Amino acid sequence: MAALNYKHLRYFWMVARCGSIAKAAGELHLTPQSISGQLTEFADTLGVELFRRVGRRLELTETGNRVLRHAEDIFSAGDALLEVVKDQTAPQVTIFRVGVSDSVSKAVACQLVAPALALAEPTRLICREGRLAALLADLAVHKLDLIIADRVMPSHLSVRGYNHLLGESELAVFAAPALVRQLKGEFPECLSGMPLLLPGEDFAVHARLMQWLHKHVARVHVIGEFDDSAMLKAFGQSGAGLFFAPAAIADAICAQYGVALVGAIPSLREQVYAITTERHISHPASQAIRQAALQTLSV
């Protein structure tokens, strides 16, 4: 494989940021023809299409977006290197990269990760969100230091990693005030016939929640499933339906979304794991996350 041409990469990065070859050429003090030729050579070397033309603008392809994310990391690291060389007295900053599975509550993730920024050693946090499989791929090539997920890593993936249980919380049901006034009877019978918003199939608790509903609720009326926990709560806030979230953060959910706690389900518990390449957690930021879990979640 040919070596990466960093000059071509910078030209690509500038065009992606500016949205056109002409604007990038102005920034780089080069002719548009020169930039265009270098981009073509770069794409040919990689063997992929990086841009597609939409009107007068260039739009990144899916592959182009992936290349851009790597370019951002590369040039960000280069800028940091220049700053270190320029100022020898500047404190060394530790970069800590965390991946958060989109099936994990954003409020839980925030409470767990925040202490990593309060360490005595200056720390720069880089937080990525996405599907667990994609995050594990990044962990495998050391683009992430730790992943926060609601399940252990799948056994069929050839990724060297270790699961660390941070804690767990029973599941609870929340509703906007207008829906609370419509509830009849005791919990959980009051859920019968009410519109329900469920975490999607990507959530580890999804299947168990469906079983519990069909066992304890006479008429299950699911109107929506969501793969993103924040979107689930936003729809719940609007009054579209009752929704499910960890009881450990009930106070925060009620305060942020203006909803009420309807009831808790002790038999349904949602786990939170840290997945790392370390058998034993030793990174100071990872240790801070584990300590935060002791206060946020109960094991």
Side-chain angles (χ1 to χ4, degrees):
M1 181 181 290
L4 178 64
N5 187 315
Y6 287 92
K7 181 176 70 173
H8 290 171
L9 183 64
R10 180 167 286 278
Y11 291 170
F12 158 78
W13 175 66
M14 186 61 74
V15 171
R17 292 181 62 191
C18 295
S20 76
I21 291 176
K23 290 181 180 178
E27 291 286 335
L28 295 168
H29 305 291
L30 296 170
T31 65
Q33 293 79 6
S34 176
I35 296 293
S36 180
Q38 299 284 357
L39 275 183
T40 300
E41 187 175 339
F42 186 45
D44 289 344
T45 300
L46 296 179
V48 297
E49 290 294 328
L50 298 171
F51 293 98
R52 54 175 167 264
R53 186 166 291 281
V54 179
R56 294 185 176 182
R57 287 182 57 84
L58 288 176
E59 185 178 275
L60 286 166
T61 64
E62 183 178 346
T63 301
N65 272 304
R66 290 201 299 268
V67 174
L68 178 61
R69 288 196 292 270
H70 286 284
E72 294 282 4
D73 290 340
I74 289 171
F75 294 127
S76 177
D79 291 341
L81 174 61
L82 291 175
E83 288 297 323
V84 169
V85 173
K86 185 185 302 181
D87 185 3
Q88 297 293 333
T89 64
Q92 184 176 359
V93 176
T94 298
I95 296 178
F96 185 62
R97 297 176 174 86
V98 179
V100 179
S101 172
D102 50 16
S103 56
V104 173
S105 164
K106 304 302 178 290
V108 169
C110 183
Q111 290 185 40
L112 294 180
V113 175
L117 293 175
L119 298 173
E121 181 180 358
T123 302
R124 177 184 173 189
L125 176 66
I126 297 177
C127 194
R128 309 288 191 205
E129 182 190 10
R131 297 290 181 90
L132 180 57
L135 296 176
L136 286 169
D138 284 343
L139 182 72
V141 294
H142 306 290
K143 291 181 62 179
L144 292 174
D145 299 301
L146 177 144
I147 297 172
I148 295 176
D150 66 340
R151 68 188 71 196
V152 298
M153 57 185 296
S155 58
H156 68 274
L157 295 179
S158 57
V159 177
R160 182 176 176 273
Y162 300 93
N163 306 298
H164 310 275
L165 178 63
L166 294 176
E168 60 181 12
S169 168
E170 61 187 33
L171 211 61
V173 186
F174 301 84
L179 284 179
V180 173
R181 291 191 289 269
Q182 298 177 35
L183 297 175
K184 299 177 181 178
E186 299 296 320
F187 182 82
E189 291 83 2
C190 63
L191 302 181
S192 181
M194 296 297 293
L196 302 177
L197 307 172
L198 269 56
E201 293 183 357
D202 276 354
F203 286 68
V205 76
H206 174 86
R208 290 181 287 124
L209 175 57
M210 290 297 297
Q211 292 173 357
W212 181 88
L213 285 170
H214 287 294
K215 181 177 180 180
H216 294 91
V217 178
R219 188 159 63 92
V220 179
H221 180 38
V222 177
I223 66 166
E225 297 185 13
F226 300 83
D227 288 338
D228 183 87
S229 61
M231 183 70 75
L232 170 69
K233 296 182 184 68
F235 270 80
Q237 180 183 31
S238 73
L242 291 86
F243 65 96
F244 300 80
I249 54 170
D251 291 344
I253 290 175
C254 292
Q256 180 177 351
Y257 294 95
V259 296
L261 174 65
V262 175
I265 312 173
S267 60
L268 282 181
R269 303 186 69 82
E270 192 172 49
Q271 286 78 33
V272 179
Y273 292 87
I275 303 175
T276 71
T277 56
E278 299 178 306
R279 184 183 295 274
H280 303 289
I281 290 180
S282 61
H283 194 294
S286 298
Q287 291 178 341
I289 288 175
R290 170 169 274 180
Q291 286 299 117
L294 296 177
Q295 300 176 9
T296 303
L297 303 167
S298 60
V299 178

